[in-house]
């Protein structure tokens, strides 16, 4: 009888390895953050608080308990963030959450089997300490093989780059996924990227990931079975809800945050419904983060190498322009018009800037280019 029991147990273990039992009933999610940060990212880059707070609130709203771990444990520091954003303010007001962040668990002390999912927060610090944390690499492999959902956003997928399963296969090999792109890094990673051990997109492609990406800083969430990844900070809420779904739960209804509504408006405009986006913005401007809309268009224009990419970027700037007084936005739009061969439109915008700020050197220089 004892031998039969051992035989059946062995069979169950073999089945469990080949077909991991879904961990969705565990009721806990582990959030992993970088412990690299110092001085709000000035001395050393850390983690993105927005990517922590949004996911935390969504996980808790869907009935999960949340733990937080970092490579060394203890207190961790985020890069500079806006404490007034509703999702950040809500987490900052949660005394229990603040106690957890003040004393995170070390990854070497965490057991993979305790969690329905492991979610890795991004931020440039993730490029430094997460990939070299052997305990985290083992934790992620064990969690995945025991049926947990693995999620990561922005630079968070750096933690997955060198994770190998029991048969030696890279976790990401053959998996559809995304993360902070080379294009995004070229614009926003200039200070620290030169110190990265590798660029995230390059490393994941080299490990066999089936890389996907959206236009610069647009929302992108990729789900491949129990692997969920997001391209950038604006993908965080989508990643968190996809993780909830992957554990077998249906995310509870909620009111989208202002950044989510703004990115949805940007997607509407890029999909061709400029009039619809303009009307929505005019009807209830306060619902949207207009500066984000303008900056999104501005930076997309900087990155654009084709007219087909430049035109949508210009349209985003034009959507935001009636609500933004910054002359730099008008000059960015004028530059886009010029690149598109629309000199009259470009000149009109520069003249508007000079009428308000006659001594602005950048405007004078651009006008000379237009007239030259």
């Amino acid at each position: 009888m004892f031998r039969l029991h051992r035989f059946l147990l062995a069979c169950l273990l073999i089945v469990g390895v080949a077909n991991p039992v879904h961990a969705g009933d565990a009721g806990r999610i582990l959030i992993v953050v970088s412990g690299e940060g110092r001085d709000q990212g000035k001395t050393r880059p850390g983690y993105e608080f927005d990517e922590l707070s949004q996911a935390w609130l969504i996980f808790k709203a869907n009935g999960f308990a949340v733990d937080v771990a970092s490579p060394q444990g203890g207190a961790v520091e985020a890069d500079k963030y806006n404490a007034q954003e509703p999702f950040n303010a809500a987490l900052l007001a949660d005394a229990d959450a603040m106690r957890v962040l003040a004393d995170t668990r070390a990854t070497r002390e965490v057991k993979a089997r305790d969690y329905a999912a492991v979610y890795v927060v991004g931020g440039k610090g993730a490029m430094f300490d997460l990939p070299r944390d052997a305990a985290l690499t083992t934790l992620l492999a064990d969690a995945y093989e025991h049926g947990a959902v693995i999620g990561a956003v922005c630079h968070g997928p750096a933690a997955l780059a060198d994770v190998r399963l029991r048969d030696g296969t890279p976790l990401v090999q053959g998996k559809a996924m995304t993360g902070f792109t080379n294009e995004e890094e070229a614009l926003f990673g200039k200070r620290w990227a030169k110190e990265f051990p590798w660029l995230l997109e390059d490393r994941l492609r080299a490990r066999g990931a089936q890389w996907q990406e959206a236009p610069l800083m647009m929302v992108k969430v990729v789900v491949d079975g129990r692997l969920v990844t997001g391209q950038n900070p604006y993908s965080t809420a989508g990643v968190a809800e996809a993780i909830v779904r992957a554990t077998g739960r249906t995310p509870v209804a909620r009111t989208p945050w202002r950044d989510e509504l703004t990115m949805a408006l940007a997607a509407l405009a890029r999909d061709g419904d400029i009039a619809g986006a303009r009307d929505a913005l005019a009807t209830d401007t306060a619902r949207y983060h207009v500066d984000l809309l303008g900056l999104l268009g501005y930076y997309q224009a900087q990155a654009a190498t084709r007219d087909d990419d430049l035109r949508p970027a210009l349209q985003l700037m034009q959507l935001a322009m009636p609500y933004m007084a910054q002359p730099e936005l008008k000059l960015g739009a004028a530059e886009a018009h010029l690149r598109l061969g629309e000199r009259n439109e470009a000149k009109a915008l520069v003249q508007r800037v000079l009428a308000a700020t006659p001594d602005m050197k950048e405007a004078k220089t651009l006008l000379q280019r237009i007239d030259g």
Side-chain angles (χ1 to χ4, degrees):
M1 186 70 177
F2 180 69
R3 289 180 179 177
L4 178 60
H5 174 76
R6 286 195 303 174
F7 173 76
L8 290 174
L9 179 60
C11 289
L12 287 172
L13 288 173
I14 292 171
V15 171
V17 170
N19 300 290
V21 177
H22 203 284
D25 293 334
R28 302 190 75 83
I29 291 180
L30 178 69
I31 297 178
V32 177
V33 297
S34 169
E36 188 84 1
R38 300 290 184 275
D39 304 322
Q40 295 186 313
K42 296 175 184 177
T43 304
R44 293 297 297 171
Y47 71 93
E48 290 286 342
F49 197 83
D50 291 13
E51 296 173 16
L52 169 74
S53 62
Q54 292 180 48
W56 184 307
L57 294 173
I58 288 171
F59 295 153
K60 294 288 283 187
N62 283 280
F64 288 99
V66 175
D67 294 332
V68 181
S70 63
Q72 298 301 319
V76 288
E77 187 172 341
D79 289 345
K80 187 176 180 180
Y81 63 93
N82 182 0
Q84 303 306 312
E85 286 289 350
F87 40 81
N88 292 336
L91 195 63
L92 290 169
D94 185 333
D96 290 335
M98 291 301 99
R99 279 193 289 270
V100 170
L101 286 175
D103 189 19
T104 65
R105 302 181 66 182
T107 52
R108 65 182 178 275
E109 299 171 352
V110 175
K111 296 180 181 179
R113 290 175 183 252
D114 291 342
Y115 299 99
V118 180
Y119 164 67
V120 186
V121 172
K124 295 177 179 61
M127 295 294 294
F128 293 102
D129 61 347
L130 299 191
R132 65 172 182 252
D133 181 6
L136 176 58
T137 300
T138 300
L139 170 69
L140 290 168
D142 289 349
Y144 187 78
E145 295 210 276
H146 286 105
V149 177
I150 304 297
V153 71
C154 195
H155 289 93
L160 310 178
D162 293 322
V163 175
R164 291 183 178 271
L165 304 178
R166 288 178 186 146
D167 62 2
T169 303
L171 170 62
V172 304
Q173 183 174 306
K175 301 288 197 312
M177 62 184 307
T178 189
F180 208 66
T181 68
N182 286 351
E183 181 184 45
E184 290 166 342
E185 205 72 79
L187 276 177
F188 304 112
K190 294 175 182 176
R191 179 175 181 186
W192 294 108
K194 61 183 180 294
E195 297 185 28
F196 289 169
W198 24 258
L199 292 180
L200 180 61
E201 178 182 339
D202 291 346
R203 187 69 158 194
L204 292 174
R205 286 183 183 274
R207 291 288 187 262
Q210 302 300 306
W211 186 262
Q212 300 180 15
E213 63 183 73
L216 183 94
M217 299 307 287
M218 297 297 288
V219 173
K220 180 71 173 179
V221 177
V222 178
V223 179
D224 191 333
R226 289 181 289 106
L227 180 63
V228 180
T229 48
Q231 182 171 320
N232 49 52
Y234 302 115
S235 307
T236 300
V239 167
E241 290 193 330
I243 290 171
V244 171
R245 281 191 291 272
T247 66
R249 302 187 185 190
T250 300
V252 297
R254 63 183 181 85
T255 301
W257 290 300
R258 187 172 61 150
D259 282 3
E260 290 179 88
L261 293 171
T262 304
M263 296 305 293
L265 193 70
L268 182 68
R270 287 190 61 99
D271 288 343
D273 191 358
I274 306 299
R278 187 183 299 114
D279 290 346
L281 190 57
T283 299
D284 193 355
T285 309
R287 293 186 71 204
Y288 303 99
H289 189 168
V290 180
D291 287 358
L292 171 58
L293 197 64
L295 287 171
L296 187 63
Y298 181 86
Y299 284 114
Q300 287 181 355
Q302 285 194 0
T305 57
R306 305 178 307 141
D307 288 358
D308 287 348
D309 296 321
L310 184 56
R311 178 67 67 186
L314 173 58
Q315 290 169 335
L316 290 182
M317 287 187 279
Q318 290 171 325
L319 274 177
M321 210 178 301
Y323 311 95
M324 292 181 65
Q326 291 88 337
E328 292 81 4
L329 183 63
K330 293 183 180 66
L331 292 184
E335 176 74 33
H337 277 301
L338 183 59
R339 289 170 60 188
L340 289 166
E342 299 165 353
R343 289 181 176 273
N344 291 339
E345 292 85 346
K347 186 170 184 176
L349 280 174
V350 176
Q351 288 174 334
R352 284 174 57 188
V353 171
L354 287 172
T357 53
D359 297 326
M360 189 172 184
K361 182 178 179 181
E362 295 85 353
K364 292 180 178 179
T365 300
L366 183 53
L367 184 60
Q368 290 174 350
R369 285 177 53 203
I370 294 170
D371 288 337

